[in-house]
């Protein structure tokens, strides 16, 4: 069910290229049937490369054409913010609503207390109820730029599975829900099988996660008429458990759809950088840094990222994808502008682009660069170079700064520094700030207060 944020970029694996022909292609579904989609939503997802697996595609396509269909994706509350690795799922909900259907964001206030074993070799850290509530509040804000929430027929709603999971009685759960599960089949689910094959501990708590996830689907169907659950392909088995449970308990016709788990062209985890996860919370990753993340996309990824992470028309994306040589940088800037606009708004995207142009193309200092405030008294007394870089978040330790100095990648006000014992003072201020650079792409303004 749930897309988690366990402080690393979740999506991983290999990309399956979408069809590139002009006509609607035939798509192989999980049950080996082929079909050409007719519903706006599935056509959009297929053309933009979102679809990896789906169940009973023909019936789902018809249900989407018959009227408003309600669908959900679950997000466990394991961190105070989602990150770029979660954007594929968020964008699916965005397109669902744009195509006239109703999205549900299911917050895992209940399932986070259990912990999903999918893709993990050891148990996830159990969080307190207070931590879960705090994380949930932070994650809620991540969705506001992408979805319209309200009470209308196609307005998005946010639901917490703690509403029903925390009210369940264990014996009732075993009798009413557990009897529909085969332990033999549960042992074959990747989340369980891989852990057991590696002889890693799997607790009874985690083993029950898929039962709770499946029950979420049933409960949402009862409460809202929800018929489709979406998620990453690592959730395929768990989602199918919900489809089967809905049929057994409610005689409901439910559907499953998963996306590829993405990696960059070089095999790196999506949304993971040397500095950590690329968070969607602007207090964790500023709009400028978010813009830079997309600007630094590998050449081979530009076309598919434009399809997945922007709302540009496909004709324009195809034009940009055909650019070669140095012109690919123009496509990367468009990607950065459009992706940043979706999350942070057009004004912040334009300011980030202007700051980048000043920094990289004009060699000037832009006030829109990330800033760190330091007391003016520290500069009066002399602030050590090593301490300044650690304070600015450009390095984790003095030793790391020393290594960068020796490597020639440390610059102050665009001047390469070779003396690790250098101190920064008032004389280094330029318009009230000192520009610290690490390599060609990382810059921070140290501003005196």
């Amino acid at each position: 069910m749930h897309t988690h944020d366990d402080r690393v970029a979740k999506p991983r694996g290999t990309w399956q290229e979408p069809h590139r022909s002009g006509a609607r292609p035939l798509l192989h579904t999980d049950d080996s049937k082929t079909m050409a989609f007719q519903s706006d939503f599935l056509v959009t997802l297929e053309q933009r490369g979102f679809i990896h697996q789906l169940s009973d595609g023909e019936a789902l396509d018809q249900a989407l054409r018959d009227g408003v269909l309600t669908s959900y994706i679950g997000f466990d509350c394991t961190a105070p913010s989602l990150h770029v690795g979660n954007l594929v799922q968020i964008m699916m909900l965005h397109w669902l609503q744009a195509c006239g259907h109703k999205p549900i964001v299911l917050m895992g206030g209940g399932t986070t207390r259990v912990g999903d074993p999918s893709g993990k070799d050891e148990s996830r850290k159990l969080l307190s109820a207070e931590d879960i509530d705090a994380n949930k509040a932070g994650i809620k804000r991540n969705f506001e730029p992408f979805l319209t929430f309200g009470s209308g027929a196609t307005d998005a709603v946010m639901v917490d599975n703690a509403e029903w999971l925390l009210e369940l009685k264990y014996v009732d759960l075993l009798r009413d829900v557990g009897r529909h599960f085969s332990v033999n089949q549960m042992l074959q689910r990747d989340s369980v099988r891989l852990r057991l094959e590696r002889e890693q501990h799997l607790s009874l708590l985690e083993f029950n996660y898929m039962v709770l996830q499946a029950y979420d689907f049933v409960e949402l169907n009862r409460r809202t008429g929800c018929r489709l659950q979406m998620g990453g392909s690592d959730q395929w088995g768990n989602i199918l458990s919900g489809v089967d449970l809905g049929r057994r308990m409610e005689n409901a016709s439910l559907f499953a759809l998963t996306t590829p788990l993405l990696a960059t062209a070089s095999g790196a985890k999506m949304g993971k950088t040397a500095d950590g996860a690329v968070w969607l919370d602007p207090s964790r990753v500023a709009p400028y840094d978010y813009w830079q993340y997309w600007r630094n996309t590998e050449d081979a990824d530009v076309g598919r990222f434009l399809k997945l992470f922007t709302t540009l028309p496909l004709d324009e994306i195809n034009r940009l994808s055909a650019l070669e040589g140095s012109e690919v940088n123009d496509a990367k800037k468009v990607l950065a502008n459009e992706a940043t606009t979706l999350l942070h708004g057009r004004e912040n995207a334009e300011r980030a682009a202007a700051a980048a142009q000043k920094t990289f193309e004009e060699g000037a200092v832009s006030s829109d660069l990330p800033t760190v405030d330091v007391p003016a008294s520290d500069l009066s007394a002399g602030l050590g170079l090593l301490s300044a870089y650690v304070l600015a978040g450009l390095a984790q330790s003095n030793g790391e700064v020393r290594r960068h100095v020796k490597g020639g990648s440390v610059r102050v006000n665009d001047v390469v520094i070779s003396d690790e014992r250098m101190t920064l003072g008032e004389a280094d201020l330029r318009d009230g700030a000192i520009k610290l650079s690490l390599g060609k792409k990382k810059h921070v303004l140290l501003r005196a207060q």
Side-chain angles (χ1 to χ4, degrees):
M1 172 186 95
H2 301 97
T3 298
H4 333 276
D5 191 325
D6 51 358
R7 301 188 180 275
V8 295
K10 181 69 177 174
R12 55 190 178 279
T14 57
W15 172 258
Q16 295 189 347
E17 281 290 343
H19 299 272
R20 298 182 181 277
S21 61
R24 281 180 199 155
L26 296 177
L27 186 94
H28 290 274
T29 66
D30 63 290
D31 55 4
S32 301
K33 295 180 181 179
T34 58
M35 61 173 297
F37 295 132
Q38 300 297 319
S39 62
D40 289 344
F41 180 55
L42 290 184
V43 168
T44 298
L45 291 195
E46 189 278 326
Q47 289 178 338
R48 289 181 173 266
F50 283 91
I51 299 176
H52 180 64
Q53 298 160 301
L54 75 166
S55 67
D56 201 353
E58 185 174 354
L60 173 59
D61 195 46
Q62 186 61 52
L64 287 160
R65 296 169 64 194
D66 288 342
V68 176
L69 186 133
T70 302
S71 175
Y72 88 97
I73 301 177
F75 299 83
D76 278 344
C77 311
T78 53
S81 171
L82 300 179
H83 52 67
V84 165
N86 302 113
L87 269 182
V88 172
Q89 313 306 323
I90 295 174
M91 289 303 295
M92 274 208 301
L93 293 174
H94 169 85
W95 285 117
L96 180 81
Q97 187 171 51
C99 292
H101 301 286
K102 188 176 186 67
I104 295 178
V105 178
L106 180 64
M107 303 300 291
T111 43
T112 306
R113 289 165 165 80
V114 175
D116 186 355
S118 299
K120 303 291 287 185
D121 283 338
E122 56 186 34
S123 300
R124 298 175 188 271
K125 178 184 176 182
L126 293 181
L127 302 177
S128 68
E130 292 75 19
D131 287 339
I132 291 173
D133 287 342
N135 290 345
K136 183 172 65 175
I139 291 172
K140 283 182 178 180
R141 293 190 290 271
N142 297 155
F143 289 94
E144 293 173 358
F146 299 93
L147 298 171
T148 299
F149 288 88
S151 57
T154 62
D155 285 343
V157 294
M158 187 169 284
V159 182
D160 187 348
N161 62 16
E163 293 179 19
W164 54 84
L165 293 183
L166 299 188
E167 300 300 319
L168 289 175
K169 295 180 180 179
Y170 188 59
V171 173
D172 290 342
L173 176 68
L174 291 176
R175 184 192 63 198
D176 297 337
V177 180
R179 65 189 178 90
H180 296 294
F181 281 80
S182 164
V183 172
N184 307 68
Q185 292 180 355
M186 293 173 72
L187 290 173
Q188 295 305 309
R189 300 298 191 202
D190 286 346
S191 60
V192 174
R193 179 178 56 81
L194 295 176
R195 182 83 72 85
L196 296 179
E197 287 178 355
R198 296 167 184 159
E199 297 184 353
Q200 300 287 344
H201 173 73
L202 179 71
S203 69
L204 178 62
L205 185 68
E206 295 171 285
F207 189 63
N208 276 280
Y209 186 93
M210 72 178 73
V211 177
L212 299 182
Q213 175 169 342
Y215 183 72
D216 282 343
F217 202 174
V218 173
E219 192 67 31
L220 284 174
N221 177 256
R222 288 171 175 170
R223 294 179 178 221
T224 69
C226 178
R227 297 184 64 195
L228 170 64
Q229 181 183 173
M230 302 186 291
S233 62
D234 61 339
Q235 296 294 310
W236 177 245
N238 288 352
I239 296 175
L240 286 182
S241 294
V243 171
D244 184 60
L245 185 64
R247 177 182 59 82
R248 292 174 181 273
M249 294 186 69
E250 301 293 320
N251 196 29
S253 176
L254 307 182
F255 304 103
L257 189 156
T258 64
T259 61
L261 294 182
L262 295 186
T264 65
S266 63
K269 290 181 178 180
M270 186 66 196
K272 182 72 172 178
T273 70
D275 297 324
V278 183
W279 303 102
L280 303 185
D281 184 344
S283 68
R284 290 171 167 260
V285 173
Y288 174 85
D289 293 320
Y290 191 79
W291 190 94
Q292 281 294 334
Y293 171 79
W294 295 107
R295 171 62 179 83
N296 294 332
T297 294
E298 298 175 38
D299 291 1
D301 290 326
V302 174
R304 63 190 176 105
F305 284 7
L306 282 166
K307 290 180 180 179
L308 289 169
F309 303 117
T310 80
T311 57
L312 286 175
L314 289 173
D315 288 347
E316 175 65 5
I317 291 174
N318 291 334
R319 183 190 72 80
L320 292 168
S321 300
L323 297 177
E324 298 179 348
S326 61
E327 290 185 337
V328 173
N329 290 323
D330 294 332
K332 292 181 181 181
K333 291 176 184 177
V334 173
L335 170 63
N337 288 340
E338 295 301 316
T340 304
T341 294
L342 279 176
L343 180 63
H344 296 292
R346 180 65 66 181
E347 182 178 352
N348 282 323
E350 291 176 350
R351 290 180 63 182
Q357 181 175 354
K358 288 182 181 179
T359 301
F360 298 110
E361 299 176 17
E362 302 173 11
V365 175
S366 171
S367 60
D368 289 322
L369 288 176
T371 61
V372 173
D373 294 330
V374 297
S377 57
D378 288 358
L379 293 178
S380 298
L383 178 61
L385 177 75
L386 305 183
S387 298
Y389 269 71
V390 173
L391 178 65
L394 291 169
Q396 299 297 314
S397 65
N398 289 349
E400 184 181 346
V401 183
R402 289 191 182 95
R403 290 192 294 273
H404 288 306
V405 170
K406 291 178 180 178
S409 58
V410 170
R411 286 175 290 127
V412 174
N413 292 332
D414 296 321
V415 176
V416 176
I417 304 301
S418 58
D419 183 5
E420 66 183 45
R421 296 169 297 179
M422 174 186 181
T423 60
L424 306 179
E426 294 176 339
D428 298 302
L429 290 170
R430 303 288 186 273
D431 296 324
I434 302 172
K435 181 184 177 185
L436 306 182
S437 302
L438 183 62
K440 296 180 179 180
K441 298 178 179 179
K442 296 180 180 179
H443 308 273
V444 173
L445 295 183
L446 210 63
R447 193 177 302 280
Q449 291 292 311

